[in-house]
Amino acid sequence: MKKSGNSLLGSKTSAGSPRVAIAIMAAGKGTRLKSQLPKVLHEVGGKPLLAHVIAAATRVVPPSDVFAIIGHEAGRVRAAVADTGVNFILQAEQRGTGHALMVAQSALSTYDHVIVLSGDAPQITPQTIARLLNFHLDQQAAMTLLSADLDHPTGYGRVIRRSARSAEVQGIVEEKSASPAQKKIHEINAGFYVFAVPQLFSNINKISTANPHGEFYLTDMAEVLRKARLRVVAWKTENSAEVLGANTRAELSFIDFQIRMRKCQQLMDEGVTIFYPATCVIDNDVEIAPDSVIEPFVQIMGKSRIGAACRIRSYSVIRDSEIGEGVLIRPGSILEEARVGASAVIGPYSHLRPGSDIGEGAHVGNFVETKKIRLGKGSKANHLTYLGDAEIGAGVNIGAGTITCNYDGVAKHTTVIEDGAFIGSDSTLVAPVRVGRGAYVGAASCITSDVPEEALAVGRARQIVKEGWVREKRAASKPK
Ligand code: UD1
Ligand code: CA
């Protein structure tokens, strides 16, 4: 096996050790999900099933030794995980898990052992994969399978041991072919295996499609290899949650829940308060520093990072955003690819769109939408405002209902508002335009040309007052 800096295989990885590949079966359609989307691209914990399995695999061997077997919607699957650097093998026709390995034969022929993972079982850990391999090597087996005891084993293949205490396996029987007695077995085949490559490929042509699905079952290799007098063993994991596959929408949602609960548990262990965690959706890659409080019904997704002592109030949705220390996000705010400086206050009902950079101690309030702006330290935009493509300095006050008119129907233009400026309510700033340092814009102004430093600009019609107008109108309309 090639050396890898982050390998988990311990002493077994040292020079002279066997070459190990990982093959991930990910070619199936996922008929039971009744979906246009291929099964392995369905998401749990905010990431496709396959991305979880690849992440675990690439912590055991380098990406160059990982082979994803793809078939149904192969282009789409490949594109979704291309950035992981793993190899792809095309199984153009999906004729079963055994067939998936048949098509991988030439790619795997230079390895001594292959670890086979299921692309639809996302909770597998690198530690378990490494332990399975080590057990396989210690046992000098031709095939080692991962098993687990499940309270509800229905749907899984059952492991038939040669005797109750033996590591050796007689065979695996699929649910559809199991006898009533075999259905009572709680030890299931997890769908993760290690094979000695030469033994696998010199015997794989012995499996057939004589089963209820008319497919080549990889599970049949247990009996085939045993009959060839080769060693087939099972290693049982205590952590049965790890092996669950997402074959149905219900299983998908259950696994998603488990992953999210684990994430919340981890954050709570690290000092984050989460009220009603079952109502919160926090993606795996999210980081939250201690003493922050997450209220019910909050979603924090993607690569978001939240500093210490923040409070994220209910119904806020935060994606790929960076939030400094001591920030208060009031209810119902939406942040996407935004940055918020320390001690800022956002919301309620603010929408920070991509490229919003909110300075330290700044306030963005009720029904304010921002996009691609910098709002300087301590500046305030508290009510009913649209700020797009704007450079706004420190200590600026943006009055209620201010609009930056950034789009002329063809191109976007920038509004610059320098430090300490005051924009009166209901103003429109027609970009490109600049309001100088400390300048004032009178309420309801339409600003179309630059305002010099410390000047007052008023751009609205002068008020007209007609004394007694109502009285005269009333008199004129009275019936004679
Ligand atoms: C399989 C096992 C079963 C085990 C269960 C664990 C077989 C015959 N049965 O059943 O014993 O308990 O996993 O989760 O293997 N795939 C391909 N090419 C194909 C067919 C499938 O790549 O031609 C992929 C699928 O995309 C999936 C994986 O192989 O990621 C497993 O296939 P699936 O149909 O889900 O097998 P199960 O019925 O769950
Ligand atoms: Ca499955």
Side-chain angles (χ1 to χ4, degrees):
M1 180 181 153
K2 285 173 201 158
K3 273 203 168 170
S4 136
N6 57 0
S7 171
L8 283 160
L9 299 183
S11 59
K12 293 245 160 40
T13 64
S14 54
S17 61
R19 290 161 301 170
V20 177
I22 295 186
I24 305 173
M25 299 181 294
K29 182 168 189 260
T31 313
R32 289 164 279 182
L33 289 172
K34 304 186 173 66
S35 175
Q36 295 290 322
L37 191 68
K39 167 156 74 172
V40 293
L41 293 191
H42 278 261
E43 291 191 355
V44 292
K47 258 192 336 207
L49 292 167
L50 181 57
H52 289 270
V53 181
I54 290 178
T58 53
R59 287 193 49 210
V60 180
V61 301
S64 54
D65 291 329
V66 175
F67 299 82
I69 302 166
I70 57 176
H72 179 71
E73 293 261 20
R76 221 166 149 188
V77 174
R78 189 188 191 121
V81 294
D83 61 345
T84 58
V86 302
N87 306 286
F88 295 93
I89 295 170
L90 186 67
Q91 185 195 12
E93 231 189 312
Q94 296 88 53
R95 301 178 63 198
T97 47
H99 182 250
L101 267 285
M102 288 176 190
V103 303
Q105 179 164 2
S106 66
L108 299 175
S109 60
T110 58
Y111 292 91
D112 299 312
H113 299 276
V114 57
I115 302 170
V116 178
L117 310 179
S118 287
D120 65 345
Q123 298 191 83
I124 189 71
T125 61
Q127 290 78 10
T128 295
I129 298 171
R131 285 174 73 182
L132 185 69
L133 175 64
N134 287 338
F135 187 78
H136 171 83
L137 297 175
D138 286 344
Q139 292 279 322
Q140 302 188 333
M143 173 179 182
T144 301
L145 60 99
L146 181 67
S147 74
D149 283 330
L150 293 190
D151 293 340
H152 305 287
T154 307
Y156 289 89
R158 310 294 208 285
V159 178
I160 318 291
R161 299 254 183 183
R162 294 193 77 167
S163 70
R165 282 170 196 281
S166 170
E168 281 189 84
V169 169
Q170 183 85 11
I172 302 168
V173 53
E174 288 303 294
E175 172 83 23
K176 279 224 166 129
S177 313
S179 67
Q182 288 168 330
K183 281 188 179 156
K184 292 211 173 84
I185 297 173
H186 285 260
E187 185 176 13
I188 61 96
N189 165 37
F192 298 96
Y193 318 86
V194 190
F195 290 96
V197 169
Q199 282 94 326
L200 171 65
F201 290 118
S202 55
N203 289 284
I204 201 164
N205 59 349
K206 294 181 190 161
I207 58 174
S208 78
T209 55
N211 55 57
H213 281 120
E215 291 186 347
F216 291 104
Y217 286 170
L218 187 58
T219 46
D220 285 350
M221 285 308 295
E223 197 179 317
V224 163
L225 292 170
R226 181 182 57 76
K227 283 187 173 156
R229 303 190 170 283
L230 293 162
R231 193 167 165 78
V232 179
V233 295
W235 178 71
K236 195 194 285 182
T237 172
E238 290 298 307
N239 180 8
S240 55
E242 261 188 82
V243 308
L244 300 182
N247 301 295
T248 62
R249 301 274 177 170
E251 287 171 349
L252 199 66
S253 121
F254 180 70
I255 291 171
D256 179 70
F257 180 75
Q258 282 194 323
I259 291 176
R260 304 232 181 251
M261 283 300 98
R262 237 191 346 263
K263 177 67 182 180
C264 285
Q265 187 60 53
Q266 173 214 324
L267 289 168
M268 291 189 280
D269 290 344
E270 290 167 5
V272 177
T273 293
I274 305 177
F275 291 117
Y276 292 92
T279 68
C280 294
V281 170
I282 303 177
D283 282 357
N284 265 359
D285 296 340
V286 167
E287 291 172 32
I288 307 178
D291 281 328
S292 282
V293 177
I294 312 297
E295 293 192 1
F297 298 101
V298 162
Q299 297 192 8
I300 308 175
M301 296 176 296
K303 301 232 181 302
S304 297
R305 290 209 335 246
I306 296 181
C310 290
R311 189 172 191 104
I312 314 295
R313 303 215 45 206
S314 292
Y315 310 112
S316 290
V317 179
I318 299 171
R319 178 179 63 75
D320 294 322
S321 295
E322 199 174 314
I323 293 170
E325 280 186 26
V327 168
L328 171 61
I329 311 275
R330 290 186 171 135
S333 297
I334 300 174
L335 286 74
E336 308 162 276
E337 295 167 44
R339 216 194 63 83
V340 178
S343 307
V345 179
I346 308 296
Y349 309 110
S350 300
H351 186 185
L352 274 47
R353 292 169 49 205
S356 297
D357 182 352
I358 309 303
E360 195 182 317
H363 287 197
V364 176
N366 304 259
F367 305 104
V368 173
E369 174 183 350
T370 66
K371 185 218 73 174
K372 229 172 149 192
I373 67 152
R374 193 177 58 80
L375 185 66
K377 191 169 171 179
S379 291
K380 290 180 180 147
N382 269 332
H383 324 272
L384 303 162
T385 286
Y386 172 66
L387 300 171
D389 301 290
E391 281 286 323
I392 303 167
V396 169
N397 191 83
I398 307 280
T402 297
I403 308 283
T404 54
C405 307
N406 56 334
Y407 187 50
D408 61 10
V410 181
K412 299 279 168 70
H413 302 283
T414 305
T415 300
V416 178
I417 303 172
E418 294 180 352
D419 292 351
F422 178 96
I423 312 296
S425 294
D426 193 27
S427 293
T428 51
L429 305 166
V430 182
V433 75
R434 172 182 297 266
V435 177
R437 176 184 291 267
Y440 266 58
V441 168
S445 289
C446 177
I447 300 298
T448 53
S449 53
D450 290 358
V451 182
E453 246 182 67
E454 310 230 309
L456 167 67
V458 183
R460 63 179 184 232
R462 208 169 259 286
Q463 181 173 326
I464 300 169
V465 176
K466 294 190 174 173
E467 288 284 356
W469 183 86
V470 176
R471 221 177 304 121
E472 283 161 27
K473 183 176 151 65
R474 206 185 294 129
S477 62
K478 235 184 204 159
K480 306 224 161 65

